[in-house]
């Protein structure tokens, strides 16, 4: 738990024989319920159903997933454990495809295990847990740094808009896009935030509105289709969103609907900002065209949350993410500084710093 966040989205309990504890985000905002994850299979299921979600939190979940998978393997000796490592890493990394943080967290822990061989089985799993815990600690620090740096862009009396949930629930710390609001709020500034509800799974309504409202920040919930009207009629000074994967040219994958918000922002002259840690950049990719977009079950669109809203059997397209081209992005807040303008040269320069 961080001092600024009154709950722990994801943590580890005990030593390597313990378990991962997550908030079951499918139950919010109705109930704040924690679940204990005892195996890699349970972790993958929690990731798939979005009980744990948001790119940086998935990085931590991926790391803990590897620890659990190595423990599940019940290997008799270190070499058998190392043989199961690739299978475990593939299993956990493939739970969701778009957020690079998941495979990044998995690979980081797997690499630490490979580096530390030969040790006892217990020693290898303990080492994996230590690495996964450092991903969590670093994520907390990165969120705080993004909040400090990006908070300066949130001025007194300003009106801001965000899409999906990039808050404490999406990270191990105080969030990415929402960290800038938490930070400005802590410094005593007053401002308004418009939160897109974020169809079809309502991360904006269920999670962002919940986080900001309980923090005492002036938040107004709108449906996604109201964003253009709000920009035109009320006026928005700046938009902040998170990211699931950023290619080296700055093209950014984030929750479905983000691209539409960026296009509307351009039409209305509103600066569109992304807030993301270095772990969300995928410099192997030349552009956003190479980012795999997760497609999810049609029932999320036709009968989300149990109530049927479309004819049974109708064709559905349900991509969970879209890509906003770099030219629509005014800047990216990272824990290492601001990237603006967004170009490969600037990205490499700031990330190297
Ligand atoms: O499908 P989700 O809820 O995992 O999607 C989350 C988002 O798109 C977030 O905006 C993104 O992961 C950034 S979180 C700091």
């Amino acid at each position: 738990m961080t001092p600024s966040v009154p709950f722990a989205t994801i943590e580890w309990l005990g030593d390597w024989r313990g378990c991962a504890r997550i908030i079951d985000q499918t139950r919010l905002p109705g109930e704040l319920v924690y679940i204990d994850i005892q195996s890699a299979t349970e972790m993958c299921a929690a990731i798939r159903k979005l009980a744990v979600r948001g790119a940086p939190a998935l990085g931590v979940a991926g790391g803990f997933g590897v620890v659990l998978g190595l423990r599940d393997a019940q290997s008799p000796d270190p070499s058998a454990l190392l043989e199961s490592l690739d299978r475990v890493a593939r299993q956990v990394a493939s739970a969701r495809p778009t957020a690079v943080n998941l495979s990044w967290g998995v690979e980081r822990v797997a690499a630490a295990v490979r580096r530390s061989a030969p040790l006892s089985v217990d020693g290898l799993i303990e080492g994996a847990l230590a690495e996964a815990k450092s991903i969590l600690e670093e994520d907390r620090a990165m969120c705080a740094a993004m909040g400090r740096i990006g908070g300066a862009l949130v001025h007194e009396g300003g009106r801001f808009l965000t899409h999906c949930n990039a808050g404490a629930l999406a990270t191990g710390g105080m969030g990415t896009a929402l960290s800038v609001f938490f930070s400005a709020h802590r410094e005593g500034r007053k401002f308004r935030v418009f939160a897109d509800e974020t169809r079809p799974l309502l991360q904006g309504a269920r999670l962002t509105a919940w986080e900001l409202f309980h923090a005492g920040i002036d938040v107004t919930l709108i449906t996604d289709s109201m964003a253009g009207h709000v920009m035109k009629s009320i006026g928005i000074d700046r938009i902040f969103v998170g990211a699931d994967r950023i290619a080296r040219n700055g093209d950014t994958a984030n929750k479905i609907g983000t691209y539409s918000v960026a296009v509307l922002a351009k039409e209305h002259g509103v600066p569109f900002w992304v807030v993301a840690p270095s772990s969300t950049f995928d410099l192997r990719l030349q552009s956003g065209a190479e980012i795999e977009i997760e497609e999810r079950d049609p029932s999320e669109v036709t009968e989300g949350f149990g109530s049927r809203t479309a004819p049974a059997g109708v064709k559905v397209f349900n991509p969970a993410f879209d890509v906003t081209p770099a030219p629509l992005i005014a800047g990216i807040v990272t824990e290492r500084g601001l990237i603006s303008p967004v170009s490969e040269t600037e990205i490499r320069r700031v990330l190297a710093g």
Side-chain angles (χ1 to χ4, degrees):
M1 205 179 291
T2 49
S4 49
V5 178
F7 52 79
T9 296
I10 180 163
E11 63 185 330
W12 185 272
L13 302 184
D15 66 9
W16 65 271
R17 295 171 199 82
C19 66
R21 175 166 286 178
I22 61 167
I23 291 178
D24 181 354
Q25 298 190 32
T26 65
R27 310 275 290 270
L28 285 170
E31 300 172 292
L32 180 59
V33 174
Y34 292 86
I35 44 179
D36 290 348
I37 307 279
Q38 307 281 0
S39 70
T41 305
E42 282 178 26
M43 182 61 92
C44 290
I47 291 171
R48 272 191 219 100
K49 73 167 196 176
L50 311 197
V52 57
R53 45 144 305 276
L58 289 177
V60 181
F64 287 157
V66 173
V67 177
L68 293 165
L70 291 178
R71 201 178 65 187
D72 299 341
Q74 297 192 328
S75 306
D77 55 61
S79 57
L81 183 125
L82 287 169
E83 272 166 32
S84 57
L85 181 61
D86 288 348
R87 177 188 53 73
V88 167
R90 267 197 311 277
Q91 178 198 3
V92 179
S94 64
R96 288 187 82 189
T98 304
V100 69
N101 304 63
L102 177 60
S103 52
W104 170 86
V106 165
E107 239 341 283
R108 193 169 138 175
V109 172
V113 174
R114 284 187 209 105
R115 264 198 319 272
S116 61
L119 274 176
S120 64
V121 167
D122 295 11
L124 285 172
I125 305 178
E126 195 58 63
L129 179 58
E131 188 69 17
K133 282 181 169 173
S134 14
I135 293 177
L136 176 57
E137 284 312 313
E138 288 166 27
D139 191 53
R140 280 187 186 139
M142 290 194 289
C143 288
M146 285 182 284
R148 248 187 340 265
I149 296 167
L153 299 170
V154 176
H155 58 281
E156 173 73 28
R159 288 182 294 250
F160 305 95
L161 184 138
T162 189
H163 188 76
C164 194
N165 173 264
L169 290 166
T171 65
M174 61 194 273
T176 60
L178 298 195
S179 73
V180 305
F181 300 135
F182 291 133
S183 177
H185 178 67
R186 229 185 6 239
E187 285 172 14
R189 290 197 284 285
K190 295 209 182 340
F191 52 88
R192 289 185 75 182
V193 180
F194 289 84
D196 283 353
E197 126 190 278
T198 317
R199 280 276 289 154
L201 293 180
L202 308 185
Q203 287 93 332
R206 294 188 303 108
L207 310 177
T208 296
W210 185 79
E211 283 195 47
L212 295 178
F213 182 71
H214 286 294
I217 292 175
D218 181 349
V219 57
T220 304
L221 178 64
I222 58 171
T223 68
D224 301 348
S225 53
M226 296 171 189
H229 178 71
V230 168
M231 288 182 212
K232 193 162 111 188
S233 63
I234 297 178
I236 292 293
D237 297 309
R238 194 172 269 118
I239 291 161
F240 293 100
V241 297
D244 286 87
R245 194 182 292 243
I246 304 176
R248 64 172 183 260
N249 70 343
D251 290 354
T252 295
N254 191 49
K255 179 52 56 193
I256 192 72
T258 304
Y259 170 52
S260 311
V261 173
V263 172
L264 284 168
K266 182 175 182 208
E267 172 68 19
H268 294 93
V270 182
F272 178 93
W273 281 77
V274 170
V275 188
S278 50
S279 53
T280 300
F281 287 77
D282 187 348
L283 300 184
R284 299 166 304 181
L285 306 188
Q286 203 182 336
S287 81
E290 293 164 64
I291 299 176
E292 184 183 346
I293 301 294
E294 175 185 9
E295 278 190 42
R296 295 186 59 85
D297 199 275
S299 63
E300 292 179 352
V301 176
T302 57
E303 46 190 320
F305 306 98
S307 151
R308 173 161 288 284
T309 52
V314 72
K315 264 199 284 184
V316 170
F317 180 45
N318 185 19
F321 300 93
D322 58 27
V323 175
T324 300
L328 294 180
I329 304 172
I332 307 177
V333 179
T334 76
E335 81 280 10
R336 299 188 188 164
L338 300 180
I339 299 171
S340 184
V342 178
S343 66
E344 180 171 344
T345 317
E346 272 304 284
I347 288 174
R348 287 195 187 279
R349 186 185 67 75
V350 173
L351 292 188

